[in-house]
Amino acid sequence: MKTPSKTILTLLVIGLVSCGLFSQQAQAVPITGGISLAGGYVTNTVNLNTATAFTSFPFALVTGVSGSYTGVGTGLGSPLVTMNPFTFNPFNGPITPLWTFMSAGSTFSFDLTALTSILQPGDDTLTLKGTGTLHITNFTDTVGSWVFTANQGGDTFSFSSSNGAAVPDSGSAVALLGIALAGIEGVRRALRAHRA
C-alpha cells in the first residue's frame, strides 16, 4: 500500500505533466514579411503638390504579399480593403487602423503610428515614410515600417509595409513557471516536515 506522501507526490507529478501537455502555449508569433496595396485617392486640394490630407480612398487592392501574408489574394483576387483618410501635414496620428481587410477568416490591419518623412518635391508626386503596427488574427502585433507614394498623373497611390521588431512578451510565462516551481518546493518541504 502506498503511503499518503507518495500518493500526493504522484498526483502532483500527474498534475504538472497534464498542465504541461494540455495548457495553451503563450509563445509569441510575430508577423513576418510584408504587404503592398495600391488604389485611388482624393486629397483636400486638386493638386498633389499642395495637398496636406487624403480625404478618401475610393478603392484599394492588395498587390503583393510575402511571409505571414502568403495566401492573401492579390490583384483581381484581392479582398476588399478599407482605407481610412488621414492628414499628413501636420500628421494627426495615430490612424487606427489605416487599412483593414478580411481573408480566410482572419482580420488583417495596419495602424499608422508615426510619420518620419514627407517628400513633396513639387513634381506631382508625394512620398511618406514612417512606422506602425501590423495586426493579423492569431499573431503577435508587430512593429513595422511603411512607405506610401502617390502620383498626380493617375490619382493613384501605392503603400507597402513590412515587419520590424516584434512586440516582446510581457513575461507572464516566466512568472507562471516561477510560481509553479515555488509551489512544488513548498509541497516538498511540507512533506519532509510531515515525515519528521
Side-chain angles (χ1 to χ4, degrees):
M1 182 172 158
K2 292 183 178 179
T3 63
S5 62
K6 286 185 179 178
T7 303
I8 291 172
L9 280 175
T10 302
L11 289 174
L12 281 173
V13 169
I14 290 171
L16 184 61
V17 169
S18 296
C19 286
L21 291 175
F22 299 113
S23 67
Q24 182 180 11
Q25 294 200 2
Q27 292 179 328
V29 181
I31 297 168
T32 61
I35 187 165
S36 296
L37 309 173
Y41 70 83
V42 177
T43 62
N44 60 336
T45 67
V46 293
N47 188 331
L48 189 59
N49 296 330
T50 59
T52 60
F54 290 97
T55 59
S56 70
F57 296 93
F59 69 94
L61 300 172
V62 177
T63 58
V65 295
S66 67
S68 301
Y69 297 94
T70 301
V72 172
T74 60
L76 295 177
S78 170
L80 177 62
V81 179
T82 301
M83 283 198 65
N84 287 316
F86 66 98
T87 300
F88 57 87
N89 193 6
F91 179 60
N92 66 345
I95 312 303
T96 55
L98 175 62
W99 55 258
T100 186
F101 64 85
M102 298 275 301
S103 178
S106 293
T107 300
F108 297 75
S109 65
F110 179 80
D111 296 341
L112 190 159
T113 55
L115 176 60
T116 58
S117 172
I118 300 173
L119 182 59
Q120 201 168 16
D123 64 353
D124 297 330
T125 65
L126 171 69
T127 302
L128 306 173
K129 295 180 182 180
T131 58
T133 305
L134 302 157
H135 306 277
I136 301 176
T137 304
N138 297 323
F139 284 81
T140 302
D141 293 348
T142 305
V143 174
S145 59
W146 58 271
V147 175
F148 181 102
T149 60
N151 70 68
Q152 185 80 36
D155 290 337
T156 58
F157 77 89
S158 67
F159 173 90
S160 64
S161 59
S162 59
N163 67 306
V167 177
D169 179 37
S170 64
S172 59
V174 174
L176 287 173
L177 177 62
I179 291 168
L181 291 174
I184 290 171
E185 178 62 18
V187 170
R188 187 187 69 77
R189 287 183 183 195
L191 288 174
R192 184 174 282 169
H194 179 65
R195 286 186 206 158

